[in-house]
Amino acid sequence: MDKNFKEEKFTGFTKFTPPLYRQRYQFVKDLVGKYEPKKVADLGCADCTLLCMLKFCSCIEVLAGVDICGSVMKEKMHRLSPLPVDYLQPRERSLTVTLHHGSVAHKDPCMLGFDLVTCLELIEHLEESELKKFPEVVFGFMAPSRVVISTPNSEFNPLLPGVKLFRNPDHKFEWTQLQFQSWALETARCYGYSVEFTGVGHPPRGMENVGFCTQIGVFVKRNPQTSVSTQSEKPTEAVYKTVFKAVYPCLKDEKYLQNAVVGEVIFTAQIIKQSLLKRLMSEHGEYNGDPAERKSKFQPSVSCFSEDLGKLAVEKSMESSVSGNVVYIPLATIFSFPRVNQLCGTFEKLSKLVAGQVTLSNDGSAVMLNTEHEDR
Amino acid sequence: MTGRARARSRGRPPGQEAAISSVGAASVHQAVPVQPPGRHQPRVHPSLSEEPSGHGCQSVPQGQSERRPEGLQISVGFQELSLADRGRRRRDFSDLGVNTRQAMEHVQESKTGTSGVMIKLTTNYFRLTSRPQWALYQYHVSYNPEMEARRLRSALLFQHEELIGKTHAFDGSVLFLPKKLVNKVTEVFSRTRNGEDVKITITLTNDLPPSSPTCLQFYNIIFRRLLKMLNLQQIGRNYYNPNDPISIPNHRLMVWPGFTSSILQYEESIMLCVDVNHKVLRSETVLDFMYSLYYQVEEQRFRDTCAKELIGLIVLTKYNNKTYRVDDIDWDANPQCTFRKSDGSEITYIDYYKRQYNQEITDLNQPVLVSQCRRKGGNMMPGPVVLIPELCFLTGLTEKMRNDFNMMKDLAFHTRLPPEQRQREIGRLVEYIRKDDNVQKELRDWGLSFDSHLLSFTGRVVQGEKILQSGNAFDYNPQFGDWSRETRAAPLICPKPLDNWLLIYTRRNYDTANTLLQNLFKVTPAMGIKMNKATMIEVDDRTEAYLRVLQQSITSDTNIVVCVLSSSRKDKYDAIKKYLCTDCPVPSQCVIARTLSKPQTVMAIATKIALQMNCKMGGELWSVEIPLKQVMVVGIDCYHDTLSGKQSIAGFVSSLNQTMTRWFSRCVVQSRGQELVDGLKACLQTALRDWFKWNKYLPSRIIVYRDGVGDGQLYTLVNYEVPQFLDCLKSVGKDYNPRLTVIVVKKRVNTRFFAESKGALKNPPPGTVVDVEVTRPEWYDFYIVSQAVRNGCVAPTHYNVIYDTSKLKPDHIQRLTYKLCHMYYNWSKYLILFMEMERCSSVYLKASSVAHPDQHTVGSCLRCAFYLSVQ
């Protein structure tokens, strides 16, 4: 809920760099990078900052946020919408981002089947009754492969200036390391998870026994199969209210794939055409500039496609032909270019996608480009 | 060629806005404006919402107490409703609060003209209606003990929803309500979760009528909120629909249809102006673009070409919703360089983008782009922003693309909507609004609604002008806005002979050159132009060959040089023009061979070329009747040079004779630390001297048409430039006290007019004048439709008389303005702006783009302008 702002209240005094809340986010991001989960949910997502960071992770296909406070979520939820560039360069994998208004004390079927569920600085905001239901909902019902739970370590509080009882007025409790660990171990045992403890925000030198400022438990399901049966046993009704949903454009969608392929095909064809015409011109002796003389100041790096593309284009231009004002570039030649190849996979797919979108020769085997356009 | 380039490079004078700071004009305009690229705008400061925690009191800017993750702050727009009236003068893109009409007594009663024939018009405006007795109530909310966080402040306040109601807008200290609370000061108590009691004092500070400036800001914020609810995507200042893009794969372009909108107080009512807008996006990164350029140009020209093509363009980044203008390319830097983060640590760009956005940079040697951040405050750090080409996508068109006829044709096919279709698209937005329940609810809650129909009213079509040419007067059909047919057989007012002229062509274009020559022989006698056979010179199709021939063949007797070019290759054209403008000033005419390739049009084109040539040699073509005597018309246009950074160039022309066929022209280059207006003053002085030389008296009226004024710069113009003009006039002579009129000309307006004819919508005919309904009550302004277009919708030009001691009736000012629209010689058509402006444009464009290498362009401008003036 208020976890971001409350942190900012005292990051001014303590010397955590980067700020603690960022370290927590980074912790989750690193975890995502390591295990590449496809479906990730953030419980108590507040203003969606974590979700916003995670949407850049290409492995994720489903991203969900849940919070009890709808207005905080709505405040900035639009930053989870696709960016203009997401339309220009659609993702390879799909991505759906959904925000739900609801409580972690309630079960909703939309939360099933997740690979990773994060609860950063959430549990300390729960009333006692909610905290009681929490393990059953998250571990018993949602039963994701991994759960990350973070909460303040009360042993660290004396080191934080200005903190009297709790770090935030909305906190119902703040646990010592022992309190958190025993709760976590009990929960893990109960629902078939193993748990490892870590944290962010190192204590000052010489006070290591205080522990991390934020303590984190990472839960991993022991037997990934077990929960499937339990889920089907107890179908629940939807209780969460969906407040936001964004479906990202992706190349799995034929519409976007076609756009991308057609664009790439025409681009490739034009590059081939250029090198073909250049070659023809130099053969006719009309071309004055000597390409060999080009010294590379702007040295394209080795790993970059374009250098290869240039060479490839020169090679491949041999396969193309000019007739009158028209250059014919075989589709097969274009298909041999890595980017086109990668997008389409098969030649049949390529033919299917460009049909009707690109000017082709009568038998459909070559792309036709007009030389007229070039020099006018 | 330059015509198309012109549209792009049209910029705005810089710097002047610095004098006025603006704060808290709400977050309506936070994103970088996308069009035009060269624009240099004053920024509206982000308001409270940008700062993470709430304010205890107004007007004290609070330091940033929180560091939010960098880059995650997506342009806020109206995601958060934020309103803050910080008590200082508000300034925004609509030039609110600049009230110029009140100083002009003769238009206090009425600023409308009466002449002409009535015409029924509709326009792209919708009335905003509010409930009777509607008002917006502005409250100040304070907390005791003081609460820091805005979220907490909101939470505490909204514990009293039964008091406040469900509809509210709160930014932490300012609360807007659609209803009035019972008491002027209300005190309530809230309890925080840890049991602290907080006294909240809600004090009524303002009772805002629907037309108050704050309310207008508020409407715009609400409206943007609605657009967002409709899932439209914000880019820059406008909103686009990403779901139905038009893809133009041939040019790797993607066009998003969208809307530009604003709500303002107009003559009679508050209205929403909606126009269809298209965003051109490119499905290639800046790096892709650089590579394809690299393979196209010679090595030594690569960096220059890159700079020329890229600087001034707007890019979108892969990782946030911000747009940036490319101001420079840093070739010495690359993604492996490090920068200092806000927390003081050093990090490479590669690591930063990897960590922050999971963006891999694959090309480690690419240069970086530099964008100067123009806004202050908020989360943006001041100073230059470094962008990685690989992570940036281009938007808009490059100069080269604009020169690509085929591409522009393809694009125009999608973006130039004829009146009927345009109206349909505009109607679609209103339809969206009406159909969406959430949007309707929001509007209802605030007690607002929009009319469902476009505004209709009556305009006037002023009488068509007679074209005067060598003692004859010609009527023409204003419907087509072209009198070349009518005047073809008539001699020009002042034909210039072609005694000695060069015609240069390549071998391939030998036939074309001959065709041109023959046709010129056919058309020139009727015009009264005496023409000898040209010296025909064949050249290789290389720039150097052209230049060599020019060097060898031009003599002091050469009247004009005509080059038949085989392509619209900009470099060749530029080189030739540069040589003929600066090194060896001779009038020149370039013709692209293709334009002469169609036998059925070749004669008409030869006619136009002959007219242009005559004009360039200092001849006079035609005129219209100007009834006002002793009036000097001045045209000023400004251009902000994106290439040389902060430089601005202004073109200045002024009439020298009664028929307004002779003109004085000057170009002013503003150097660093110097105000453009100083140069303009000098121009005006010289112009008056020249006028005196020609007429033996000084003009009794001076009418200045001032173009190139950016949105939001009106205040500066009124309060700074106009007094300088007056000063200048005073300095001419003690008893000299001419009447001065200053009219601001704006061609980029969102207003469109449709004429209803037999149930269908058509473009209104040239000569349509609108001075009611959609004009602003605080201005003496009007619109004139001065051209006819074949495709798409005609754009009216907005004229705003900001200073006027001439005491001319509105009718007369309007008629005079329309008359001047006929005086453009380049094509015998009306044009969007009139001749003075256009002449300015061609002067400064040549100055800036062609003669760029030498920065002392004043001299070269003078020379290149010499054929436009008559000294």
Side-chain angles (χ1 to χ4, degrees):
Chain A
M1 285 180 235
D2 287 299
K3 65 191 176 204
N4 274 350
F5 102 75
K6 128 215 125 190
E7 210 64 76
E8 97 221 3
K9 255 171 100 182
F10 60 84
T11 40
F13 304 104
T14 46
K15 295 281 183 292
F16 289 122
T17 32
L20 209 49
Y21 73 97
R22 300 250 326 250
Q23 292 192 32
R24 287 193 291 264
Y25 294 155
Q26 192 57 46
F27 180 86
V28 173
K29 255 188 86 177
D30 291 344
L31 214 64
V32 168
K34 197 168 164 192
Y35 297 105
E36 305 203 335
K38 281 186 179 170
K39 295 179 76 178
V40 180
D42 185 22
L43 307 185
C45 63
D47 64 357
C48 312
T49 308
L50 178 62
L51 294 174
C52 229
M53 292 171 82
L54 293 180
K55 80 166 190 172
F56 290 107
C57 298
S58 52
C59 61
I60 295 177
E61 294 179 11
V62 173
L63 205 48
V66 179
D67 206 289
I68 190 77
C69 178
S71 61
V72 172
M73 258 195 301
K74 279 179 192 165
E75 209 169 278
K76 290 186 188 165
M77 66 183 181
H78 286 289
R79 57 182 176 164
L80 293 172
S81 300
L83 296 172
V85 168
D86 288 314
Y87 291 91
L88 294 177
Q89 205 180 49
R91 297 164 51 100
E92 264 171 52
R93 296 192 190 187
S94 62
L95 173 63
T96 308
V97 184
T98 330
L99 294 180
H100 304 284
H101 181 203
S103 161
V104 289
H106 297 137
K107 298 173 184 174
D108 188 294
C110 70
M111 297 312 292
L112 293 173
F114 279 83
D115 302 310
L116 174 66
V117 168
T118 60
C119 315
L120 300 187
E121 308 298 88
L122 167 77
I123 53 171
E124 65 276 10
H125 290 272
L126 301 179
E127 301 281 355
E128 209 182 323
S129 58
E130 293 168 327
L131 183 67
K132 247 185 208 153
K133 291 181 196 155
F134 176 81
E136 168 56 23
V137 175
V138 174
F139 294 92
F141 174 73
M142 297 183 194
S145 325
R146 267 192 179 74
V147 181
V148 176
I149 294 178
S150 87
T151 189
N153 167 15
S154 64
E155 291 164 70
F156 201 97
N157 284 0
L159 298 174
L160 299 170
V163 173
K164 283 178 224 148
L165 178 63
F166 295 142
R167 295 181 193 178
N168 181 292
D170 190 48
H171 285 180
K172 308 301 172 318
F173 59 85
E174 280 175 11
W175 280 336
T176 61
Q177 297 178 74
L178 187 67
Q179 283 172 312
F180 175 57
Q181 287 175 11
S182 57
W183 175 85
L185 285 167
E186 173 58 18
T187 306
R189 188 193 57 75
C190 206
Y191 296 97
Y193 280 77
S194 65
V195 58
E196 272 177 40
F197 298 100
T198 172
V200 290
H202 284 276
R205 205 167 261 245
M207 305 185 73
E208 279 78 6
N209 58 330
V210 166
F212 290 104
C213 187
T214 295
Q215 42 185 341
I216 299 178
V218 181
F219 299 75
V220 182
K221 189 149 63 170
R222 283 223 172 84
N223 185 352
Q225 304 307 321
T226 48
S227 67
V228 181
S229 55
T230 47
Q231 275 167 26
S232 49
E233 277 165 26
K234 35 179 184 182
T236 6
E237 276 182 36
V239 288
Y240 289 177
K241 196 181 153 220
T242 306
V243 294
F244 175 86
K245 184 169 179 177
V247 180
Y248 277 62
C250 103
L251 291 177
K252 291 200 172 130
D253 183 335
E254 187 96 334
K255 184 173 97 179
Y256 293 109
L257 181 64
Q258 181 165 48
N259 256 335
V261 169
V262 168
E264 205 57 52
V265 164
I266 289 179
F267 176 68
T268 310
Q270 270 165 355
I271 283 204
I272 296 176
K273 182 183 85 176
Q274 264 169 22
S275 57
L276 175 72
L277 293 180
K278 216 178 246 182
R279 187 161 53 83
L280 291 177
M281 263 167 92
S282 59
E283 277 167 18
H284 291 199
E286 274 183 42
Y287 187 72
N288 309 77
D290 185 358
E293 256 178 29
R294 290 179 157 203
K295 262 177 267 138
S296 260
K297 267 184 252 161
F298 173 57
Q299 191 74 58
S301 70
V302 190
S303 61
C304 186
F305 66 90
S306 288
E307 177 70 333
D308 307 333
L309 194 64
K311 274 188 207 139
L312 202 57
V314 175
E315 282 166 29
K316 295 293 181 182
S317 67
M318 307 289 181
E319 296 165 20
S320 310
S321 60
V322 187
S323 151
N325 282 336
V326 180
V327 181
Y328 293 87
I329 301 148
L331 263 188
T333 308
I334 292 173
F335 184 65
S336 66
F337 277 66
R339 282 225 278 205
V340 180
N341 198 301
Q342 214 178 343
L343 277 172
C344 307
T346 65
F347 184 73
E348 287 65 39
K349 184 111 191 188
L350 171 68
S351 311
K352 202 183 125 216
L353 287 170
V354 297
Q357 304 288 317
V358 179
T359 320
L360 295 177
S361 58
N362 285 338
D363 61 352
S365 69
V367 175
M368 285 165 63
L369 286 181
N370 209 323
T371 53
E372 281 273 285
H373 292 194
E374 193 51 31
D375 207 34
R376 225 192 15 77
Chain B
M1 183 182 293
T2 45
R4 270 182 237 133
R6 186 179 307 132
R8 185 198 149 227
S9 42
R10 186 147 298 262
R12 302 291 174 247
Q16 298 169 358
E17 64 273 12
I20 301 132
S21 65
S22 61
V23 165
S27 54
V28 185
H29 303 299
Q30 281 179 5
V32 178
V34 169
Q35 283 171 331
R39 192 180 276 187
H40 182 85
Q41 288 288 10
R43 297 262 107 235
V44 177
H45 288 206
S47 61
L48 261 182
S49 66
E50 283 278 82
E51 286 157 44
S53 54
H55 283 212
C57 56
Q58 297 191 337
S59 82
V60 181
Q62 191 174 317
Q64 279 171 274
S65 54
E66 178 206 35
R67 289 235 174 270
R68 287 198 260 176
E70 280 173 303
L72 282 178
Q73 309 89 348
I74 288 156
S75 133
V76 184
F78 56 92
Q79 290 160 18
E80 296 170 78
L81 180 72
S82 59
L83 290 136
D85 193 351
R86 292 291 107 103
R88 275 194 253 170
R89 214 180 66 75
R90 185 188 302 283
R91 223 168 87 97
D92 70 349
F93 294 105
S94 331
D95 293 307
L96 284 176
V98 183
N99 192 338
T100 46
R101 187 177 170 188
Q102 64 189 9
M104 291 176 274
E105 237 165 73
H106 61 297
V107 288
Q108 286 308 296
E109 285 288 300
S110 160
K111 64 172 190 189
T112 55
T114 48
S115 72
V117 184
M118 297 299 167
I119 182 171
K120 210 165 173 255
L121 297 174
T122 52
T123 181
N124 54 336
Y125 286 69
F126 297 89
R127 261 198 212 93
L128 174 70
T129 47
S130 45
R131 278 195 297 258
Q133 277 99 50
W134 187 92
L136 188 67
Y137 301 94
Q138 182 181 348
Y139 290 89
H140 176 71
V141 184
S142 62
Y143 297 80
N144 186 19
E146 191 56 61
M147 291 289 124
E148 279 273 300
R150 182 162 63 96
R151 222 171 279 150
L152 186 59
R153 291 164 74 103
S154 305
L156 292 173
L157 178 65
F158 298 133
Q159 287 181 14
H160 302 278
E161 204 160 65
E162 78 292 346
L163 172 77
I164 293 160
K166 273 198 182 321
T167 312
H168 43 67
F170 183 56
D171 75 349
S173 66
V174 179
L175 172 72
F176 285 99
L177 295 178
K179 64 166 194 179
K180 197 170 181 169
L181 301 181
V182 182
N183 300 315
K184 199 166 177 287
V185 181
T186 313
E187 287 186 356
V188 289
F189 289 87
S190 289
R191 179 164 290 198
T192 62
R193 292 272 198 136
N194 52 348
E196 198 179 0
D197 283 322
V198 180
K199 185 170 85 175
I200 305 173
T201 314
I202 309 165
T203 316
L204 181 70
T205 52
N206 254 324
D207 188 334
L208 303 164
S211 60
S212 82
T214 310
C215 270
L216 289 170
Q217 302 268 346
F218 173 81
Y219 300 142
N220 280 291
I221 290 170
I222 292 285
F223 192 71
R224 281 169 175 258
R225 217 194 223 184
L226 302 182
L227 292 176
K228 198 121 224 181
M229 284 164 106
L230 293 169
N231 271 327
L232 295 176
Q233 187 102 31
Q234 184 180 11
I235 303 178
R237 275 202 269 168
N238 301 326
Y239 285 80
Y240 300 91
N241 182 3
N243 294 316
D244 244 341
I246 304 155
S247 172
I248 309 177
N250 277 350
H251 312 291
R252 306 198 98 189
L253 289 185
M254 195 92 101
V255 179
W256 284 9
F259 303 99
T260 169
S261 70
S262 72
I263 299 173
L264 274 179
Q265 171 74 50
Y266 293 95
E267 216 64 64
E268 310 283 333
S269 46
I270 297 165
M271 291 193 283
L272 163 72
C273 173
V274 180
D275 194 25
V276 180
N277 189 294
H278 289 93
K279 183 88 222 159
V280 176
L281 299 166
R282 313 252 296 267
S283 30
E284 60 184 341
T285 65
V286 176
L287 186 65
D288 289 343
F289 179 79
M290 284 176 154
Y291 270 117
S292 59
L293 209 61
Y294 182 74
Y295 288 108
Q296 277 168 37
V297 302
E298 296 134 49
E299 173 70 32
Q300 66 272 21
R301 283 179 46 233
F302 173 62
R303 288 187 181 195
D304 282 347
T305 318
C306 248
K308 216 166 154 190
E309 293 280 338
L310 287 172
I311 289 176
L313 283 187
I314 304 291
V315 296
L316 275 172
T317 60
K318 266 190 185 181
Y319 43 85
N320 63 19
N321 200 13
K322 286 206 185 94
T323 47
Y324 300 88
R325 208 185 86 129
V326 179
D327 291 310
D328 199 7
I329 303 170
D330 186 350
W331 296 95
D332 299 323
N334 64 47
Q336 300 165 77
C337 294
T338 61
F339 70 102
R340 196 174 288 280
K341 287 209 303 181
S342 54
D343 62 11
S345 60
E346 289 263 335
I347 187 167
T348 65
Y349 294 112
I350 306 171
D351 291 344
Y352 174 76
Y353 284 106
K354 173 76 198 142
R355 279 180 75 98
Q356 202 70 44
Y357 304 109
N358 256 41
Q359 301 288 338
E360 301 273 0
I361 298 173
T362 52
D363 189 322
L364 304 181
N365 293 319
Q366 58 190 309
V368 300
L369 308 176
V370 181
S371 176
Q372 298 294 339
C373 179
R374 281 175 180 78
R375 68 194 108 165
K376 290 183 200 147
N379 302 297
M380 299 287 282
M381 271 186 282
V385 176
V386 167
L387 303 165
I388 308 295
E390 194 178 341
L391 303 179
C392 294
F393 278 77
L394 289 165
T395 72
L397 302 169
T398 62
E399 178 121 13
K400 203 160 142 215
M401 294 165 112
R402 284 184 194 279
N403 290 330
D404 183 338
F405 177 73
N406 283 305
M407 190 175 82
M408 294 310 280
K409 204 174 73 187
D410 286 359
L411 203 59
F413 177 79
H414 296 289
T415 57
R416 275 213 199 126
L417 307 178
E420 286 273 335
Q421 207 182 334
R422 198 171 196 106
Q423 185 235 17
R424 233 185 350 260
E425 291 294 320
I426 292 164
R428 200 185 274 201
L429 179 66
V430 177
E431 197 62 13
Y432 286 156
I433 291 173
R434 290 167 65 80
K435 288 221 171 113
D436 192 294
D437 291 342
N438 290 331
V439 169
Q440 277 304 310
K441 185 174 177 302
E442 180 86 21
L443 278 172
R444 245 194 336 268
D445 289 348
W446 285 106
L448 300 171
S449 66
F450 291 100
D451 269 7
S452 55
H453 297 290
L454 296 170
L455 178 78
S456 293
F457 61 95
T458 314
R460 290 174 292 121
V461 183
V462 297
Q463 193 193 332
E465 292 296 329
K466 283 188 163 51
I467 303 299
L468 307 176
Q469 206 166 301
S470 283
N472 302 315
F474 298 92
D475 282 313
Y476 67 96
N477 185 351
Q479 208 53 261
F480 304 116
D482 188 346
W483 53 83
S484 50
R485 188 173 316 167
E486 285 81 358
T487 60
R488 184 141 63 194
L492 304 175
I493 290 179
C494 172
K496 291 276 171 184
L498 284 163
D499 293 326
N500 185 354
W501 61 293
L502 307 180
L503 180 56
I504 302 174
Y505 54 90
T506 58
R507 191 185 336 149
R508 213 163 82 184
N509 293 322
Y510 174 72
D511 290 342
T512 317
N514 263 318
T515 313
L516 175 64
L517 193 64
Q518 280 156 20
N519 279 286
L520 284 175
F521 269 120
K522 269 187 224 159
V523 298
T524 48
M527 295 176 182
I529 300 173
K530 281 205 314 211
M531 189 174 106
N532 288 338
K533 192 174 183 309
T535 313
M536 306 270 287
I537 307 169
E538 189 175 295
V539 291
D540 279 350
D541 198 6
R542 278 183 296 122
T543 309
E544 311 85 72
Y546 275 99
L547 294 181
R548 204 174 311 124
V549 162
L550 291 175
Q551 265 163 15
Q552 289 163 355
S553 317
I554 293 175
T555 66
S556 57
D557 300 334
T558 307
N559 302 123
I560 192 165
V561 177
V562 180
C563 297
V564 180
L565 300 177
S566 50
S567 75
S568 63
R569 284 268 302 269
K570 191 97 175 62
D571 50 343
K572 208 170 287 163
Y573 175 85
D574 282 355
I576 293 169
K577 278 288 177 189
K578 179 175 180 280
Y579 181 75
L580 293 175
C581 277
T582 61
D583 302 339
C584 176
V586 169
S588 60
Q589 176 72 51
C590 288
V591 188
I592 292 163
R594 235 175 112 94
T595 49
L596 295 162
S597 62
K598 287 200 192 109
Q600 63 272 30
T601 59
V602 70
M603 186 130 139
I605 286 169
T607 307
K608 280 168 180 166
I609 291 172
L611 289 174
Q612 276 196 56
M613 285 164 60
N614 191 60
C615 187
K616 286 177 177 181
M617 292 186 296
E620 297 164 33
L621 308 184
W622 57 75
S623 79
V624 291
E625 200 205 343
I626 308 283
L628 272 180
K629 304 294 175 222
Q630 300 185 16
V631 57
M632 178 167 101
V633 171
V634 175
I636 301 172
D637 197 351
C638 286
Y639 161 74
H640 181 59
D641 190 348
T642 51
L643 280 181
S644 60
K646 291 239 148 63
Q647 220 171 37
S648 281
I649 300 178
F652 180 104
V653 288
S654 66
S655 63
L656 290 171
N657 60 355
Q658 169 65 26
T659 48
M660 299 196 184
T661 51
R662 292 180 172 250
W663 295 86
F664 162 88
S665 64
R666 276 284 187 280
C667 203
V668 187
V669 180
Q670 171 218 34
S671 30
R672 255 164 238 277
Q674 191 194 346
E675 289 295 343
L676 200 58
V677 70
D678 294 338
L680 294 178
K681 266 170 82 176
C683 284
L684 186 57
Q685 264 162 353
T686 324
L688 284 167
R689 259 202 302 277
D690 260 49
W691 169 282
F692 188 80
K693 240 189 273 168
W694 276 83
N695 301 290
K696 306 294 173 236
Y697 59 84
L698 285 167
S700 60
R701 290 175 199 274
I702 297 170
I703 301 177
V704 178
Y705 287 91
R706 173 69 159 89
D707 198 351
V709 181
D711 296 333
Q713 293 180 339
L714 199 59
Y715 179 86
T716 321
L717 209 71
V718 171
N719 292 288
Y720 192 64
E721 202 166 300
V722 174
Q724 295 278 313
F725 285 147
L726 290 169
D727 260 14
C728 174
L729 294 179
K730 245 183 240 160
S731 70
V732 170
K734 216 176 170 196
D735 306 322
Y736 184 53
N737 194 16
R739 294 163 176 241
L740 176 70
T741 307
V742 181
I743 305 175
V744 173
V745 184
K746 211 163 176 182
K747 287 148 289 168
R748 280 172 182 275
V749 289
N750 292 327
T751 307
R752 294 289 180 276
F753 299 119
F754 312 112
E756 286 171 37
S757 112
K758 296 174 200 128
L761 289 184
K762 296 233 164 61
N763 274 317
T768 303
V769 174
V770 173
D771 52 13
V772 292
E773 293 284 355
V774 293
T775 49
R776 305 260 290 260
E778 73 273 26
W779 293 346
Y780 171 15
D781 60 338
F782 54 90
Y783 287 92
I784 297 184
V785 175
S786 50
Q787 100 241 66
V789 294
R790 256 187 229 115
N791 307 315
C793 281
V794 67
T797 309
H798 183 249
Y799 298 91
N800 186 4
V801 185
I802 57 166
Y803 184 86
D804 186 22
T805 51
S806 77
K807 301 282 187 297
L808 288 176
K809 284 188 201 157
D811 242 347
H812 294 155
I813 290 280
Q814 292 169 1
R815 286 293 298 278
L816 178 68
T817 305
Y818 183 54
K819 277 171 189 291
L820 290 169
C821 296
H822 291 72
M823 303 291 283
Y824 177 63
Y825 288 164
N826 247 0
W827 296 98
S828 46
K829 288 214 168 198
Y830 317 100
L831 60 158
I832 312 163
L833 56 156
F834 46 84
M835 176 186 108
E836 293 81 56
M837 308 297 166
E838 203 55 27
R839 287 181 153 195
C840 282
S841 318
S842 51
V843 170
Y844 69 64
L845 262 172
K846 271 178 199 128
S848 59
S849 69
V850 178
H852 213 275
D854 70 311
Q855 292 297 318
H856 309 285
T857 32
V858 187
S860 51
C861 274
L862 287 181
R863 263 173 284 142
C864 81
F866 86 103
Y867 52 76
L868 290 178
S869 44
V870 285
Q871 47 275 66

